[in-house]
Amino acid sequence: MYLEIVSPEATLFSSEVDSVAVPGINGEFQMLDNHAPIVSILKEGFIKIHTHTQTHLEFDALHSEVIPHNDDDKVLTIKINSGTLEMKDNKAIILAD
């Protein structure tokens, strides 16, 4: 699936991923490849991005908020205060604040 995380300042993340876990208002949930279409409001917490490998990811100053999760180089985390998620046609877009 393709994941894009956008903040008012910049695009924080944009790449193919294996799965993503997000802090929904009713609890954390995970989306895998070919997930059904969904729109959800997100609360404060961490977005956990599961990648097959990080060798294809490029990081720069705008990606300073993307950090490895617990020394696992296949899981990245981004802290958000709130946001909105839309999953459609195997593409997830998160508008994060």
mmCIF file with all atom_site columns, all heavy atoms in Angstrom, residues 30-56:
data_model
loop_
_atom_site.group_PDB
_atom_site.id
_atom_site.type_symbol
_atom_site.label_atom_id
_atom_site.label_alt_id
_atom_site.label_comp_id
_atom_site.label_asym_id
_atom_site.label_entity_id
_atom_site.label_seq_id
_atom_site.pdbx_PDB_ins_code
_atom_site.Cartn_x
_atom_site.Cartn_y
_atom_site.Cartn_z
_atom_site.occupancy
_atom_site.B_iso_or_equiv
_atom_site.pdbx_formal_charge
_atom_site.auth_seq_id
_atom_site.auth_comp_id
_atom_site.auth_asym_id
_atom_site.auth_atom_id
_atom_site.pdbx_PDB_model_num
ATOM 1   N N   . GLN A 1 30 ? -4.920  -0.982 12.751 1.00 0.00 ? 30 GLN A N   1
ATOM 2   C CA  . GLN A 1 30 ? -3.900  -1.195 11.735 1.00 0.00 ? 30 GLN A CA  1
ATOM 3   C C   . GLN A 1 30 ? -4.546  -1.460 10.388 1.00 0.00 ? 30 GLN A C   1
ATOM 4   O O   . GLN A 1 30 ? -5.601  -2.079 10.307 1.00 0.00 ? 30 GLN A O   1
ATOM 5   C CB  . GLN A 1 30 ? -3.025  -2.385 12.128 1.00 0.00 ? 30 GLN A CB  1
ATOM 6   C CG  . GLN A 1 30 ? -1.884  -2.648 11.175 1.00 0.00 ? 30 GLN A CG  1
ATOM 7   C CD  . GLN A 1 30 ? -1.018  -3.809 11.636 1.00 0.00 ? 30 GLN A CD  1
ATOM 8   O OE1 . GLN A 1 30 ? -1.494  -4.726 12.302 1.00 0.00 ? 30 GLN A OE1 1
ATOM 9   N NE2 . GLN A 1 30 ? 0.250   -3.779 11.280 1.00 0.00 ? 30 GLN A NE2 1
ATOM 10  N N   . MET A 1 31 ? -3.878  -0.988 9.335  1.00 0.00 ? 31 MET A N   1
ATOM 11  C CA  . MET A 1 31 ? -4.344  -1.238 7.973  1.00 0.00 ? 31 MET A CA  1
ATOM 12  C C   . MET A 1 31 ? -3.247  -1.948 7.200  1.00 0.00 ? 31 MET A C   1
ATOM 13  O O   . MET A 1 31 ? -2.083  -1.553 7.266  1.00 0.00 ? 31 MET A O   1
ATOM 14  C CB  . MET A 1 31 ? -4.690  0.075  7.283  1.00 0.00 ? 31 MET A CB  1
ATOM 15  C CG  . MET A 1 31 ? -5.881  0.767  7.895  1.00 0.00 ? 31 MET A CG  1
ATOM 16  S SD  . MET A 1 31 ? -6.193  2.362  7.154  1.00 0.00 ? 31 MET A SD  1
ATOM 17  C CE  . MET A 1 31 ? -4.686  3.212  7.561  1.00 0.00 ? 31 MET A CE  1
ATOM 18  N N   . LEU A 1 32 ? -3.634  -2.974 6.479  1.00 0.00 ? 32 LEU A N   1
ATOM 19  C CA  . LEU A 1 32 ? -2.721  -3.732 5.642  1.00 0.00 ? 32 LEU A CA  1
ATOM 20  C C   . LEU A 1 32 ? -3.021  -3.446 4.180  1.00 0.00 ? 32 LEU A C   1
ATOM 21  O O   . LEU A 1 32 ? -3.952  -2.706 3.861  1.00 0.00 ? 32 LEU A O   1
ATOM 22  C CB  . LEU A 1 32 ? -2.873  -5.233 5.921  1.00 0.00 ? 32 LEU A CB  1
ATOM 23  C CG  . LEU A 1 32 ? -2.616  -5.675 7.363  1.00 0.00 ? 32 LEU A CG  1
ATOM 24  C CD1 . LEU A 1 32 ? -3.047  -7.117 7.545  1.00 0.00 ? 32 LEU A CD1 1
ATOM 25  C CD2 . LEU A 1 32 ? -1.160  -5.502 7.725  1.00 0.00 ? 32 LEU A CD2 1
ATOM 26  N N   . ASP A 1 33 ? -2.252  -4.063 3.311  1.00 0.00 ? 33 ASP A N   1
ATOM 27  C CA  . ASP A 1 33 ? -2.453  -3.942 1.873  1.00 0.00 ? 33 ASP A CA  1
ATOM 28  C C   . ASP A 1 33 ? -3.903  -4.273 1.506  1.00 0.00 ? 33 ASP A C   1
ATOM 29  O O   . ASP A 1 33 ? -4.497  -5.204 2.058  1.00 0.00 ? 33 ASP A O   1
ATOM 30  C CB  . ASP A 1 33 ? -1.510  -4.926 1.166  1.00 0.00 ? 33 ASP A CB  1
ATOM 31  C CG  . ASP A 1 33 ? -0.866  -4.319 -0.055 1.00 0.00 ? 33 ASP A CG  1
ATOM 32  O OD1 . ASP A 1 33 ? -0.928  -3.092 -0.220 1.00 0.00 ? 33 ASP A OD1 1
ATOM 33  O OD2 . ASP A 1 33 ? -0.287  -5.090 -0.835 1.00 0.00 ? 33 ASP A OD2 1
ATOM 34  N N   . ASN A 1 34 ? -4.478  -3.522 0.608  1.00 0.00 ? 34 ASN A N   1
ATOM 35  C CA  . ASN A 1 34 ? -5.841  -3.722 0.096  1.00 0.00 ? 34 ASN A CA  1
ATOM 36  C C   . ASN A 1 34 ? -6.922  -3.624 1.160  1.00 0.00 ? 34 ASN A C   1
ATOM 37  O O   . ASN A 1 34 ? -7.945  -4.296 1.080  1.00 0.00 ? 34 ASN A O   1
ATOM 38  C CB  . ASN A 1 34 ? -5.944  -5.055 -0.651 1.00 0.00 ? 34 ASN A CB  1
ATOM 39  C CG  . ASN A 1 34 ? -5.036  -5.083 -1.862 1.00 0.00 ? 34 ASN A CG  1
ATOM 40  O OD1 . ASN A 1 34 ? -5.043  -4.161 -2.671 1.00 0.00 ? 34 ASN A OD1 1
ATOM 41  N ND2 . ASN A 1 34 ? -4.231  -6.127 -1.977 1.00 0.00 ? 34 ASN A ND2 1
ATOM 42  N N   . HIS A 1 35 ? -6.715  -2.767 2.138  1.00 0.00 ? 35 HIS A N   1
ATOM 43  C CA  . HIS A 1 35 ? -7.724  -2.532 3.183  1.00 0.00 ? 35 HIS A CA  1
ATOM 44  C C   . HIS A 1 35 ? -8.962  -1.893 2.552  1.00 0.00 ? 35 HIS A C   1
ATOM 45  O O   . HIS A 1 35 ? -8.867  -1.171 1.564  1.00 0.00 ? 35 HIS A O   1
ATOM 46  C CB  . HIS A 1 35 ? -7.131  -1.602 4.241  1.00 0.00 ? 35 HIS A CB  1
ATOM 47  C CG  . HIS A 1 35 ? -7.929  -1.507 5.503  1.00 0.00 ? 35 HIS A CG  1
ATOM 48  N ND1 . HIS A 1 35 ? -9.073  -0.766 5.607  1.00 0.00 ? 35 HIS A ND1 1
ATOM 49  C CD2 . HIS A 1 35 ? -7.723  -2.059 6.719  1.00 0.00 ? 35 HIS A CD2 1
ATOM 50  C CE1 . HIS A 1 35 ? -9.543  -0.862 6.832  1.00 0.00 ? 35 HIS A CE1 1
ATOM 51  N NE2 . HIS A 1 35 ? -8.748  -1.646 7.536  1.00 0.00 ? 35 HIS A NE2 1
ATOM 52  N N   . ALA A 1 36 ? -10.110 -2.155 3.128  1.00 0.00 ? 36 ALA A N   1
ATOM 53  C CA  . ALA A 1 36 ? -11.353 -1.548 2.653  1.00 0.00 ? 36 ALA A CA  1
ATOM 54  C C   . ALA A 1 36 ? -11.281 -0.025 2.806  1.00 0.00 ? 36 ALA A C   1
ATOM 55  O O   . ALA A 1 36 ? -10.589 0.483  3.683  1.00 0.00 ? 36 ALA A O   1
ATOM 56  C CB  . ALA A 1 36 ? -12.535 -2.087 3.454  1.00 0.00 ? 36 ALA A CB  1
ATOM 57  N N   . PRO A 1 37 ? -11.993 0.709  1.959  1.00 0.00 ? 37 PRO A N   1
ATOM 58  C CA  . PRO A 1 37 ? -11.997 2.174  2.084  1.00 0.00 ? 37 PRO A CA  1
ATOM 59  C C   . PRO A 1 37 ? -12.485 2.607  3.476  1.00 0.00 ? 37 PRO A C   1
ATOM 60  O O   . PRO A 1 37 ? -13.405 2.011  4.030  1.00 0.00 ? 37 PRO A O   1
ATOM 61  C CB  . PRO A 1 37 ? -12.983 2.630  1.005  1.00 0.00 ? 37 PRO A CB  1
ATOM 62  C CG  . PRO A 1 37 ? -12.978 1.520  0.011  1.00 0.00 ? 37 PRO A CG  1
ATOM 63  C CD  . PRO A 1 37 ? -12.782 0.258  0.814  1.00 0.00 ? 37 PRO A CD  1
ATOM 64  N N   . ILE A 1 38 ? -11.844 3.617  4.010  1.00 0.00 ? 38 ILE A N   1
ATOM 65  C CA  . ILE A 1 38 ? -12.182 4.096  5.349  1.00 0.00 ? 38 ILE A CA  1
ATOM 66  C C   . ILE A 1 38 ? -11.790 5.564  5.478  1.00 0.00 ? 38 ILE A C   1
ATOM 67  O O   . ILE A 1 38 ? -10.838 6.018  4.849  1.00 0.00 ? 38 ILE A O   1
ATOM 68  C CB  . ILE A 1 38 ? -11.469 3.257  6.445  1.00 0.00 ? 38 ILE A CB  1
ATOM 69  C CG1 . ILE A 1 38 ? -11.925 3.663  7.848  1.00 0.00 ? 38 ILE A CG1 1
ATOM 70  C CG2 . ILE A 1 38 ? -9.971  3.351  6.312  1.00 0.00 ? 38 ILE A CG2 1
ATOM 71  C CD1 . ILE A 1 38 ? -11.399 2.767  8.947  1.00 0.00 ? 38 ILE A CD1 1
ATOM 72  N N   . VAL A 1 39 ? -12.554 6.295  6.289  1.00 0.00 ? 39 VAL A N   1
ATOM 73  C CA  . VAL A 1 39 ? -12.204 7.656  6.697  1.00 0.00 ? 39 VAL A CA  1
ATOM 74  C C   . VAL A 1 39 ? -12.307 7.662  8.213  1.00 0.00 ? 39 VAL A C   1
ATOM 75  O O   . VAL A 1 39 ? -13.284 7.175  8.775  1.00 0.00 ? 39 VAL A O   1
ATOM 76  C CB  . VAL A 1 39 ? -13.154 8.705  6.078  1.00 0.00 ? 39 VAL A CB  1
ATOM 77  C CG1 . VAL A 1 39 ? -12.860 10.082 6.641  1.00 0.00 ? 39 VAL A CG1 1
ATOM 78  C CG2 . VAL A 1 39 ? -13.034 8.713  4.572  1.00 0.00 ? 39 VAL A CG2 1
ATOM 79  N N   . SER A 1 40 ? -11.288 8.190  8.885  1.00 0.00 ? 40 SER A N   1
ATOM 80  C CA  . SER A 1 40 ? -11.275 8.179  10.343 1.00 0.00 ? 40 SER A CA  1
ATOM 81  C C   . SER A 1 40 ? -10.615 9.433  10.879 1.00 0.00 ? 40 SER A C   1
ATOM 82  O O   . SER A 1 40 ? -9.707  9.987  10.276 1.00 0.00 ? 40 SER A O   1
ATOM 83  C CB  . SER A 1 40 ? -10.518 6.946  10.852 1.00 0.00 ? 40 SER A CB  1
ATOM 84  O OG  . SER A 1 40 ? -10.470 6.931  12.260 1.00 0.00 ? 40 SER A OG  1
ATOM 85  N N   . ILE A 1 41 ? -11.061 9.842  12.068 1.00 0.00 ? 41 ILE A N   1
ATOM 86  C CA  . ILE A 1 41 ? -10.432 10.945 12.797 1.00 0.00 ? 41 ILE A CA  1
ATOM 87  C C   . ILE A 1 41 ? -9.393  10.322 13.720 1.00 0.00 ? 41 ILE A C   1
ATOM 88  O O   . ILE A 1 41 ? -9.647  9.289  14.355 1.00 0.00 ? 41 ILE A O   1
ATOM 89  C CB  . ILE A 1 41 ? -11.475 11.734 13.605 1.00 0.00 ? 41 ILE A CB  1
ATOM 90  C CG1 . ILE A 1 41 ? -12.491 12.379 12.654 1.00 0.00 ? 41 ILE A CG1 1
ATOM 91  C CG2 . ILE A 1 41 ? -10.796 12.793 14.464 1.00 0.00 ? 41 ILE A CG2 1
ATOM 92  C CD1 . ILE A 1 41 ? -13.661 13.030 13.356 1.00 0.00 ? 41 ILE A CD1 1
ATOM 93  N N   . LEU A 1 42 ? -8.225  10.952 13.794 1.00 0.00 ? 42 LEU A N   1
ATOM 94  C CA  . LEU A 1 42 ? -7.143  10.446 14.632 1.00 0.00 ? 42 LEU A CA  1
ATOM 95  C C   . LEU A 1 42 ? -6.948  11.349 15.833 1.00 0.00 ? 42 LEU A C   1
ATOM 96  O O   . LEU A 1 42 ? -7.170  12.555 15.763 1.00 0.00 ? 42 LEU A O   1
ATOM 97  C CB  . LEU A 1 42 ? -5.844  10.364 13.824 1.00 0.00 ? 42 LEU A CB  1
ATOM 98  C CG  . LEU A 1 42 ? -5.922  9.570  12.522 1.00 0.00 ? 42 LEU A CG  1
ATOM 99  C CD1 . LEU A 1 42 ? -4.577  9.617  11.807 1.00 0.00 ? 42 LEU A CD1 1
ATOM 100 C CD2 . LEU A 1 42 ? -6.342  8.135  12.783 1.00 0.00 ? 42 LEU A CD2 1
ATOM 101 N N   . LYS A 1 43 ? -6.530  10.746 16.947 1.00 0.00 ? 43 LYS A N   1
ATOM 102 C CA  . LYS A 1 43 ? -6.254  11.516 18.158 1.00 0.00 ? 43 LYS A CA  1
ATOM 103 C C   . LYS A 1 43 ? -4.753  11.554 18.396 1.00 0.00 ? 43 LYS A C   1
ATOM 104 O O   . LYS A 1 43 ? -3.968  10.973 17.632 1.00 0.00 ? 43 LYS A O   1
ATOM 105 C CB  . LYS A 1 43 ? -6.973  10.904 19.358 1.00 0.00 ? 43 LYS A CB  1
ATOM 106 C CG  . LYS A 1 43 ? -6.473  9.523  19.729 1.00 0.00 ? 43 LYS A CG  1
ATOM 107 C CD  . LYS A 1 43 ? -7.196  8.986  20.926 1.00 0.00 ? 43 LYS A CD  1
ATOM 108 C CE  . LYS A 1 43 ? -6.597  7.636  21.335 1.00 0.00 ? 43 LYS A CE  1
ATOM 109 N NZ  . LYS A 1 43 ? -7.206  7.107  22.531 1.00 0.00 ? 43 LYS A NZ  1
ATOM 110 N N   . GLU A 1 44 ? -4.342  12.212 19.456 1.00 0.00 ? 44 GLU A N   1
ATOM 111 C CA  . GLU A 1 44 ? -2.922  12.317 19.789 1.00 0.00 ? 44 GLU A CA  1
ATOM 112 C C   . GLU A 1 44 ? -2.332  10.929 20.014 1.00 0.00 ? 44 GLU A C   1
ATOM 113 O O   . GLU A 1 44 ? -2.943  10.072 20.659 1.00 0.00 ? 44 GLU A O   1
ATOM 114 C CB  . GLU A 1 44 ? -2.738  13.161 21.049 1.00 0.00 ? 44 GLU A CB  1
ATOM 115 C CG  . GLU A 1 44 ? -1.287  13.365 21.410 1.00 0.00 ? 44 GLU A CG  1
ATOM 116 C CD  . GLU A 1 44 ? -1.105  14.287 22.606 1.00 0.00 ? 44 GLU A CD  1
ATOM 117 O OE1 . GLU A 1 44 ? -2.102  14.739 23.183 1.00 0.00 ? 44 GLU A OE1 1
ATOM 118 O OE2 . GLU A 1 44 ? 0.058   14.544 22.950 1.00 0.00 ? 44 GLU A OE2 1
ATOM 119 N N   . GLY A 1 45 ? -1.171  10.714 19.457 1.00 0.00 ? 45 GLY A N   1
ATOM 120 C CA  . GLY A 1 45 ? -0.502  9.427  19.617 1.00 0.00 ? 45 GLY A CA  1
ATOM 121 C C   . GLY A 1 45 ? 0.570   9.247  18.564 1.00 0.00 ? 45 GLY A C   1
ATOM 122 O O   . GLY A 1 45 ? 1.082   10.221 18.007 1.00 0.00 ? 45 GLY A O   1
ATOM 123 N N   . PHE A 1 46 ? 0.885   7.998  18.285 1.00 0.00 ? 46 PHE A N   1
ATOM 124 C CA  . PHE A 1 46 ? 1.949   7.677  17.349 1.00 0.00 ? 46 PHE A CA  1
ATOM 125 C C   . PHE A 1 46 ? 1.417   6.905  16.149 1.00 0.00 ? 46 PHE A C   1
ATOM 126 O O   . PHE A 1 46 ? 0.641   5.965  16.307 1.00 0.00 ? 46 PHE A O   1
ATOM 127 C CB  . PHE A 1 46 ? 3.035   6.833  18.030 1.00 0.00 ? 46 PHE A CB  1
ATOM 128 C CG  . PHE A 1 46 ? 3.812   7.593  19.058 1.00 0.00 ? 46 PHE A CG  1
ATOM 129 C CD1 . PHE A 1 46 ? 3.438   7.567  20.386 1.00 0.00 ? 46 PHE A CD1 1
ATOM 130 C CD2 . PHE A 1 46 ? 4.921   8.343  18.695 1.00 0.00 ? 46 PHE A CD2 1
ATOM 131 C CE1 . PHE A 1 46 ? 4.153   8.269  21.345 1.00 0.00 ? 46 PHE A CE1 1
ATOM 132 C CE2 . PHE A 1 46 ? 5.649   9.051  19.637 1.00 0.00 ? 46 PHE A CE2 1
ATOM 133 C CZ  . PHE A 1 46 ? 5.257   9.010  20.967 1.00 0.00 ? 46 PHE A CZ  1
ATOM 134 N N   . ILE A 1 47 ? 1.864   7.293  14.963 1.00 0.00 ? 47 ILE A N   1
ATOM 135 C CA  . ILE A 1 47 ? 1.630   6.522  13.753 1.00 0.00 ? 47 ILE A CA  1
ATOM 136 C C   . ILE A 1 47 ? 2.810   5.571  13.640 1.00 0.00 ? 47 ILE A C   1
ATOM 137 O O   . ILE A 1 47 ? 3.969   6.000  13.696 1.00 0.00 ? 47 ILE A O   1
ATOM 138 C CB  . ILE A 1 47 ? 1.561   7.425  12.510 1.00 0.00 ? 47 ILE A CB  1
ATOM 139 C CG1 . ILE A 1 47 ? 0.402   8.409  12.637 1.00 0.00 ? 47 ILE A CG1 1
ATOM 140 C CG2 . ILE A 1 47 ? 1.443   6.592  11.244 1.00 0.00 ? 47 ILE A CG2 1
ATOM 141 C CD1 . ILE A 1 47 ? 0.397   9.482  11.559 1.00 0.00 ? 47 ILE A CD1 1
ATOM 142 N N   . LYS A 1 48 ? 2.547   4.269  13.518 1.00 0.00 ? 48 LYS A N   1
ATOM 143 C CA  . LYS A 1 48 ? 3.603   3.272  13.387 1.00 0.00 ? 48 LYS A CA  1
ATOM 144 C C   . LYS A 1 48 ? 3.578   2.728  11.963 1.00 0.00 ? 48 LYS A C   1
ATOM 145 O O   . LYS A 1 48 ? 2.592   2.140  11.526 1.00 0.00 ? 48 LYS A O   1
ATOM 146 C CB  . LYS A 1 48 ? 3.405   2.147  14.388 1.00 0.00 ? 48 LYS A CB  1
ATOM 147 C CG  . LYS A 1 48 ? 3.528   2.613  15.814 1.00 0.00 ? 48 LYS A CG  1
ATOM 148 C CD  . LYS A 1 48 ? 3.201   1.511  16.786 1.00 0.00 ? 48 LYS A CD  1
ATOM 149 C CE  . LYS A 1 48 ? 3.096   2.086  18.179 1.00 0.00 ? 48 LYS A CE  1
ATOM 150 N NZ  . LYS A 1 48 ? 2.262   1.280  19.048 1.00 0.00 ? 48 LYS A NZ  1
ATOM 151 N N   . ILE A 1 49 ? 4.676   2.958  11.263 1.00 0.00 ? 49 ILE A N   1
ATOM 152 C CA  . ILE A 1 49 ? 4.779   2.578  9.858  1.00 0.00 ? 49 ILE A CA  1
ATOM 153 C C   . ILE A 1 49 ? 5.659   1.340  9.756  1.00 0.00 ? 49 ILE A C   1
ATOM 154 O O   . ILE A 1 49 ? 6.811   1.354  10.196 1.00 0.00 ? 49 ILE A O   1
ATOM 155 C CB  . ILE A 1 49 ? 5.398   3.723  9.033  1.00 0.00 ? 49 ILE A CB  1
ATOM 156 C CG1 . ILE A 1 49 ? 4.600   5.009  9.239  1.00 0.00 ? 49 ILE A CG1 1
ATOM 157 C CG2 . ILE A 1 49 ? 5.497   3.341  7.572  1.00 0.00 ? 49 ILE A CG2 1
ATOM 158 C CD1 . ILE A 1 49 ? 5.354   6.255  8.851  1.00 0.00 ? 49 ILE A CD1 1
ATOM 159 N N   . HIS A 1 50 ? 5.126   0.264  9.191  1.00 0.00 ? 50 HIS A N   1
ATOM 160 C CA  . HIS A 1 50 ? 5.870   -0.975 9.010  1.00 0.00 ? 50 HIS A CA  1
ATOM 161 C C   . HIS A 1 50 ? 6.326   -1.054 7.554  1.00 0.00 ? 50 HIS A C   1
ATOM 162 O O   . HIS A 1 50 ? 5.498   -1.137 6.649  1.00 0.00 ? 50 HIS A O   1
ATOM 163 C CB  . HIS A 1 50 ? 5.003   -2.181 9.348  1.00 0.00 ? 50 HIS A CB  1
ATOM 164 C CG  . HIS A 1 50 ? 4.539   -2.180 10.773 1.00 0.00 ? 50 HIS A CG  1
ATOM 165 N ND1 . HIS A 1 50 ? 5.135   -2.934 11.745 1.00 0.00 ? 50 HIS A ND1 1
ATOM 166 C CD2 . HIS A 1 50 ? 3.549   -1.484 11.390 1.00 0.00 ? 50 HIS A CD2 1
ATOM 167 C CE1 . HIS A 1 50 ? 4.533   -2.713 12.900 1.00 0.00 ? 50 HIS A CE1 1
ATOM 168 N NE2 . HIS A 1 50 ? 3.565   -1.837 12.708 1.00 0.00 ? 50 HIS A NE2 1
ATOM 169 N N   . THR A 1 51 ? 7.633   -1.029 7.365  1.00 0.00 ? 51 THR A N   1
ATOM 170 C CA  . THR A 1 51 ? 8.203   -1.100 6.024  1.00 0.00 ? 51 THR A CA  1
ATOM 171 C C   . THR A 1 51 ? 8.900   -2.434 5.842  1.00 0.00 ? 51 THR A C   1
ATOM 172 O O   . THR A 1 51 ? 9.337   -3.068 6.815  1.00 0.00 ? 51 THR A O   1
ATOM 173 C CB  . THR A 1 51 ? 9.218   0.025  5.778  1.00 0.00 ? 51 THR A CB  1
ATOM 174 O OG1 . THR A 1 51 ? 10.297  -0.123 6.686  1.00 0.00 ? 51 THR A OG1 1
ATOM 175 C CG2 . THR A 1 51 ? 8.583   1.387  5.944  1.00 0.00 ? 51 THR A CG2 1
ATOM 176 N N   . HIS A 1 52 ? 9.015   -2.880 4.607  1.00 0.00 ? 52 HIS A N   1
ATOM 177 C CA  . HIS A 1 52 ? 9.749   -4.116 4.329  1.00 0.00 ? 52 HIS A CA  1
ATOM 178 C C   . HIS A 1 52 ? 11.237  -3.885 4.548  1.00 0.00 ? 52 HIS A C   1
ATOM 179 O O   . HIS A 1 52 ? 11.939  -4.717 5.083  1.00 0.00 ? 52 HIS A O   1
ATOM 180 C CB  . HIS A 1 52 ? 9.457   -4.575 2.895  1.00 0.00 ? 52 HIS A CB  1
ATOM 181 C CG  . HIS A 1 52 ? 10.141  -5.844 2.542  1.00 0.00 ? 52 HIS A CG  1
ATOM 182 N ND1 . HIS A 1 52 ? 9.822   -7.041 3.135  1.00 0.00 ? 52 HIS A ND1 1
ATOM 183 C CD2 . HIS A 1 52 ? 11.152  -6.103 1.684  1.00 0.00 ? 52 HIS A CD2 1
ATOM 184 C CE1 . HIS A 1 52 ? 10.598  -7.984 2.643  1.00 0.00 ? 52 HIS A CE1 1
ATOM 185 N NE2 . HIS A 1 52 ? 11.418  -7.451 1.761  1.00 0.00 ? 52 HIS A NE2 1
ATOM 186 N N   . THR A 1 53 ? 11.699  -2.728 4.131  1.00 0.00 ? 53 THR A N   1
ATOM 187 C CA  . THR A 1 53 ? 13.095  -2.331 4.291  1.00 0.00 ? 53 THR A CA  1
ATOM 188 C C   . THR A 1 53 ? 13.168  -0.819 4.223  1.00 0.00 ? 53 THR A C   1
ATOM 189 O O   . THR A 1 53 ? 12.300  -0.185 3.650  1.00 0.00 ? 53 THR A O   1
ATOM 190 C CB  . THR A 1 53 ? 14.001  -2.954 3.213  1.00 0.00 ? 53 THR A CB  1
ATOM 191 O OG1 . THR A 1 53 ? 15.334  -2.473 3.412  1.00 0.00 ? 53 THR A OG1 1
ATOM 192 C CG2 . THR A 1 53 ? 13.546  -2.583 1.827  1.00 0.00 ? 53 THR A CG2 1
ATOM 193 N N   . GLN A 1 54 ? 14.193  -0.246 4.826  1.00 0.00 ? 54 GLN A N   1
ATOM 194 C CA  . GLN A 1 54 ? 14.364  1.208  4.750  1.00 0.00 ? 54 GLN A CA  1
ATOM 195 C C   . GLN A 1 54 ? 15.372  1.608  3.688  1.00 0.00 ? 54 GLN A C   1
ATOM 196 O O   . GLN A 1 54 ? 15.648  2.780  3.509  1.00 0.00 ? 54 GLN A O   1
ATOM 197 C CB  . GLN A 1 54 ? 14.825  1.757  6.093  1.00 0.00 ? 54 GLN A CB  1
ATOM 198 C CG  . GLN A 1 54 ? 13.723  1.829  7.109  1.00 0.00 ? 54 GLN A CG  1
ATOM 199 C CD  . GLN A 1 54 ? 14.161  2.616  8.327  1.00 0.00 ? 54 GLN A CD  1
ATOM 200 O OE1 . GLN A 1 54 ? 15.051  3.445  8.259  1.00 0.00 ? 54 GLN A OE1 1
ATOM 201 N NE2 . GLN A 1 54 ? 13.519  2.358  9.441  1.00 0.00 ? 54 GLN A NE2 1
ATOM 202 N N   . THR A 1 55 ? 15.907  0.658  2.960  1.00 0.00 ? 55 THR A N   1
ATOM 203 C CA  . THR A 1 55 ? 16.947  0.992  1.998  1.00 0.00 ? 55 THR A CA  1
ATOM 204 C C   . THR A 1 55 ? 16.444  1.907  0.895  1.00 0.00 ? 55 THR A C   1
ATOM 205 O O   . THR A 1 55 ? 17.203  2.662  0.322  1.00 0.00 ? 55 THR A O   1
ATOM 206 C CB  . THR A 1 55 ? 17.545  -0.275 1.362  1.00 0.00 ? 55 THR A CB  1
ATOM 207 O OG1 . THR A 1 55 ? 16.495  -1.028 0.750  1.00 0.00 ? 55 THR A OG1 1
ATOM 208 C CG2 . THR A 1 55 ? 18.244  -1.123 2.403  1.00 0.00 ? 55 THR A CG2 1
ATOM 209 N N   . HIS A 1 56 ? 15.137  1.864  0.610  1.00 0.00 ? 56 HIS A N   1
ATOM 210 C CA  . HIS A 1 56 ? 14.582  2.708  -0.451 1.00 0.00 ? 56 HIS A CA  1
ATOM 211 C C   . HIS A 1 56 ? 14.071  4.053  0.059  1.00 0.00 ? 56 HIS A C   1
ATOM 212 O O   . HIS A 1 56 ? 13.664  4.889  -0.720 1.00 0.00 ? 56 HIS A O   1
ATOM 213 C CB  . HIS A 1 56 ? 13.447  1.977  -1.166 1.00 0.00 ? 56 HIS A CB  1
ATOM 214 C CG  . HIS A 1 56 ? 12.257  1.742  -0.292 1.00 0.00 ? 56 HIS A CG  1
ATOM 215 N ND1 . HIS A 1 56 ? 12.224  0.765  0.670  1.00 0.00 ? 56 HIS A ND1 1
ATOM 216 C CD2 . HIS A 1 56 ? 11.068  2.381  -0.225 1.00 0.00 ? 56 HIS A CD2 1
ATOM 217 C CE1 . HIS A 1 56 ? 11.063  0.803  1.286  1.00 0.00 ? 56 HIS A CE1 1
ATOM 218 N NE2 . HIS A 1 56 ? 10.342  1.775  0.777  1.00 0.00 ? 56 HIS A NE2 1
#
